[in-house]
Amino acid sequence: MDIKIFMDYATEIVLQVLRKNSQELQKAYQENDNKKIEVLETEIIPKYEKLYLGLTSDEMKKKTPEEIENILKVLEDILEKNNFTKEFIEECQKKREEYKKSSGALVVKRLFEYSIKNLKKNKSKVYDKLNPLLKKEEKLEADLKEAIQYEDEMKISADIVDVREEKRELNDKIALLDLKITSIERDIQNRWKYEIYGTVTQKELEKYMNYKD
């Protein structure tokens, strides 16, 4: 089998499984099914994500015909386990090609990029509050070294405590924003979280998403 044909077919299978499991995860969250959420997030989805990344890597292009045959057997088991047919996967491939320039995948990818842009903007606003605090803390520390009266030392020390508490809260906000940014950047890099929508049109997807260009 031609390696490109194989990779397209194989990745479509895994994308459809990931899409199915992503939908099950959303349902589990709606139903507060914590046990199912844990299994999907820690076992099932990571397993298929790893398979997708392997199938789309440059290393896959170096596989021998024998290795390809072995992978196909694994994929056939995955098809059967998920009640997918070969015809269904081929139809998904046709749609993915047909919707290439107007697919839901493009919508979701832009949504991810917009979210990162917005998070970075919020992070910049937090830094606008943090930077003056750092200068204030530095000045208070200098004032404390020069303070002679006990009352002055106590007042400055109290001010330093307040500034450091406010600084800690802002640093916590930055850390949380960094975590969210890193998570979405990883989703973009790994691709599958938006590629699973490559078999629907933008219009179909936008019916269910509050998204603006």
Side-chain angles (χ1 to χ4, degrees):
M1 179 184 286
D2 178 81
I3 189 64
K4 185 180 185 307
I5 293 174
F6 163 74
M7 289 177 70
D8 288 347
Y9 177 68
T11 54
E12 191 63 57
I13 291 174
V14 181
L15 283 172
Q16 291 308 317
V17 174
L18 284 166
R19 183 181 182 188
K20 177 183 175 183
N21 283 301
S22 294
Q23 290 171 340
E24 289 181 4
L25 180 60
Q26 290 176 358
K27 185 179 179 183
Y29 269 111
Q30 291 169 358
E31 297 174 351
N32 294 317
D33 189 340
N34 293 325
K35 186 176 180 181
K36 190 171 184 180
I37 290 170
E38 183 179 0
V39 171
L40 285 165
E41 286 189 334
T42 63
E43 297 178 26
I44 298 176
I45 291 178
K47 178 178 71 175
Y48 285 107
E49 177 183 58
K50 184 177 180 180
L51 181 55
Y52 174 77
L53 293 175
L55 289 169
T56 55
S57 69
D58 290 335
E59 289 300 312
M60 186 57 58
K61 298 174 184 177
K62 302 174 185 177
K63 297 292 183 184
T64 65
E66 291 77 16
E67 289 174 320
I68 296 298
E69 283 301 318
N70 290 332
I71 296 171
L72 277 172
K73 289 177 183 177
V74 173
L75 293 171
E76 285 172 4
D77 290 338
I78 292 173
L79 279 175
E80 185 177 350
K81 183 179 178 180
N82 288 275
N83 296 316
F84 291 156
T85 64
K86 183 178 179 181
E87 291 73 24
F88 167 72
I89 298 301
E90 289 173 346
E91 182 62 27
C92 289
Q93 285 183 278
K94 289 179 183 177
K95 287 181 179 179
R96 189 174 297 278
E97 183 61 30
E98 181 183 350
Y99 304 152
K100 205 169 190 178
K101 296 182 180 179
S102 60
S103 74
L106 297 176
V107 175
V108 177
K109 185 180 181 183
R110 286 201 298 268
L111 179 60
F112 285 165
E113 291 168 343
Y114 173 80
S115 296
I116 289 176
K117 183 179 179 181
N118 197 44
L119 287 167
K120 287 182 176 179
K121 189 184 295 183
N122 289 339
K123 182 179 171 181
S124 179
K125 289 179 181 178
V126 176
Y127 270 116
D128 287 342
K129 295 179 181 179
L130 179 62
N131 290 330
L133 271 182
L134 296 175
K135 291 180 180 179
K136 185 176 181 180
E137 181 186 32
E138 186 178 347
K139 184 178 185 304
L140 285 169
E141 288 173 346
D143 290 343
L144 182 61
K145 290 178 181 178
E146 295 179 2
I148 299 174
Q149 299 295 326
Y150 175 75
E151 291 81 4
D152 291 339
E153 288 182 359
M154 293 303 295
K155 183 180 182 307
I156 294 170
S157 295
D159 288 342
I160 289 175
V161 169
D162 291 340
V163 167
R164 286 178 177 169
E165 176 60 23
E166 192 174 350
K167 185 180 75 170
R168 184 190 64 77
E169 290 176 359
L170 292 175
N171 279 323
D172 286 346
K173 287 182 180 180
I174 290 171
L176 182 59
L177 288 167
D178 280 336
L179 195 64
K180 291 179 179 179
I181 290 168
T182 300
S183 177
I184 298 173
E185 286 177 339
R186 179 180 177 275
D187 289 342
I188 292 175
Q189 183 178 359
N190 290 347
R191 295 177 51 202
W192 73 263
K193 282 195 178 179
Y194 62 86
E195 288 291 359
I196 60 175
Y197 300 104
T199 56
V200 296
T201 65
Q202 290 184 9
K203 288 184 179 180
E204 286 176 307
L205 188 64
E206 286 169 355
K207 289 178 183 178
Y208 307 101
M209 297 181 67
N210 182 22
Y211 175 77
K212 296 181 180 178
D213 254 329

